[in-house]
Amino acid sequence: MTLKTALQSEILRGQITTKQALLDRAAALGLVITRNGREYLGLLGADGKRFRVHFRFSADVSPALAVTPEDGAPASEIRVRGSWIYALVACSSDGTRKACYVGQTVNLRRRFREHLLRPRPGRGSYGLFQWAALEAVEVQAVVLCWVDGDQSAASRFEGYWLGLAQEAGFEAPGAHNWGRLPLPAHPAGQPRQWPTDIVAAAMQSLAKLVSAGIVPRELFVVDGGAF
C-alpha cells in the first residue's frame, strides 16, 4: 500500500479526524507539505514523489452548508446547492469481472436505502443487483465526490465518473436505461483515471451502511463550474 493510499484510507475510516492530526501524521511519516489547501494537502515523500490527499473533516465544514435535517438524518448528510456522486460496485469472487452503477443524490442515506430496499425492475441500479446476485457477491458503495453546483453540473460529473469506470473495465449493467449522460473532458480537481486504490480503501458494504445508518465521506469536493 502506498503512503497516499494509506493516508487516504486513514482519513476515510475516521482514524484521522482533524487537519492538525493529518499534519502531525504527515510529519511523523517524514513527508514534506508542499500545498496546504482547504480540503487537500500536497505532500512530498522521501523518494521525491509528490501526491495529494483529500479530506473534509466535520469540524472544518462551513456553517453555510448546514441545513435542517430531513428524515431524521444528520445535517452533514444533506447540503444545499449541490449533489453527491456515488458508485455502487460489485466484483466477481475470482476478481476477473467487476460492475458498477454511478448515480447522484442530495440525500445519501435515503438514496442508499432506496437502492437496497426498493429495487425497480429495468430501472436504475436493478441491473447491477441482478449482476451481483448471479455472481453471488455483495454490492458495495463509495461516495466519489461532492459537486457544489446545480443538477446540470452534477449530471456532467456523473457522466465523467461513469466514463472513468468504464475505461477501467467496469461493466455497467442496464446503462442503456440510466447511462445516457454527458461525457465531458477532464474537469479541474478530478482524477484522470479511476482511482483504484483510493476507491478500494473507501468501499463499504451497502447493506451494512444502510442497516447502521452510516454515510461515508466523499473522496473529492469540486466546484460544479470546474469543466
Side-chain angles (χ1 to χ4, degrees):
M1 180 180 290
T2 65
L3 278 175
K4 174 185 174 71
T5 303
L7 272 178
Q8 195 71 66
S9 178
E10 289 179 28
I11 294 168
L12 294 167
R13 295 182 185 282
Q15 294 171 281
I16 298 175
T17 57
T18 67
K19 190 172 186 179
Q20 186 57 54
L22 177 57
L23 293 170
D24 292 343
R25 178 70 171 135
L29 292 170
L31 298 169
V32 176
I33 297 168
T34 59
R35 299 280 183 179
N36 191 343
R38 186 168 64 90
E39 293 174 338
Y40 74 90
L41 283 186
L43 299 165
L44 174 66
D47 58 0
K49 293 183 179 180
R50 296 172 182 264
F51 62 92
R52 287 186 180 187
V53 291
H54 298 262
F55 55 84
R56 194 173 180 82
F57 301 125
S58 58
D60 300 328
V61 174
S62 167
L65 294 177
V67 297
T68 303
E70 299 175 359
D71 298 334
S76 60
E77 293 178 22
I78 309 168
R79 300 175 191 164
V80 296
R81 205 170 61 91
S83 303
W84 280 278
I85 309 302
Y86 63 92
L88 304 181
V89 176
C91 300
S92 63
S93 56
D94 62 4
T96 61
R97 298 176 63 219
K98 52 190 179 182
C100 76
Y101 168 88
V102 177
Q104 62 172 279
T105 185
V106 297
N107 187 321
L108 281 166
R109 190 174 72 160
R110 181 175 62 199
R111 191 69 185 111
F112 283 175
R113 189 169 63 237
E114 289 172 349
H115 279 300
L116 186 66
L117 304 177
R118 303 175 188 173
R120 297 181 295 171
R123 302 284 300 277
S125 61
Y126 186 78
L128 174 67
F129 280 90
Q130 284 189 311
W131 190 99
L134 288 172
E135 294 285 344
V137 295
E138 190 173 36
V139 172
Q140 297 184 303
V142 59
V143 183
L144 300 169
C145 70
W146 163 259
V147 180
D148 185 7
D150 58 18
Q151 186 173 9
S152 175
S155 293
R156 293 197 300 274
F157 279 89
E158 184 182 355
Y160 179 73
W161 277 97
L162 173 60
L164 291 186
Q166 291 177 313
E167 288 174 5
F170 283 87
E171 298 178 42
H176 59 283
N177 292 321
W178 58 268
R180 294 186 291 274
L181 297 162
L183 295 174
H186 175 246
Q190 297 292 271
R192 291 186 177 274
Q193 59 186 18
W194 184 262
T196 301
D197 291 344
I198 295 176
V199 169
M203 286 194 307
Q204 300 182 63
S205 160
L206 177 64
K208 290 180 180 178
L209 289 175
V210 171
S211 64
I214 297 172
V215 175
R217 288 190 179 94
E218 63 274 4
L219 302 181
F220 302 91
V221 177
V222 294
D223 184 336
F227 286 104

